[in-house]
Amino acid sequence: METVTLSVPTVHCHACQMNIEEALDELAGVDACSVDLATRTVTLTYDPDVVELAEVSEVLGDAGYPIG
């Protein structure tokens, strides 16, 4: 497992947080994620053998929260 913190500048409210967590929870290989509204970041623990960061970025972008 690896942990990475991603900048997601469009995150600004609890609904954003819930949308991101739901989108990433459905992605195979994601063990955990948390959204920090104050810093507009997503901390993600994932299995790099199962999912690549490019796929995570695509899922976030499709949900309306591109990595910045």
Side-chain angles (χ1 to χ4, degrees):
M1 292 291 173
E2 291 187 20
T3 300
V4 64
T5 300
L6 307 169
S7 173
V8 185
T10 57
V11 172
H12 63 276
C13 67
H14 184 67
C16 295
Q17 178 181 0
M18 290 178 49
N19 290 337
I20 288 171
E21 290 174 353
E22 286 177 14
L24 293 178
D25 282 344
E26 294 177 9
L27 193 57
V30 172
D31 185 56
C33 69
S34 63
V35 177
D36 186 327
L37 296 176
T39 61
R40 295 184 178 190
T41 58
V42 175
T43 301
L44 179 70
T45 302
Y46 69 103
D47 184 344
D49 294 329
V50 178
V51 64
E52 296 180 6
L53 283 180
E55 192 174 356
V56 170
S57 178
E58 183 178 334
V59 166
L60 287 173
D62 289 347
Y65 305 98
I67 294 174

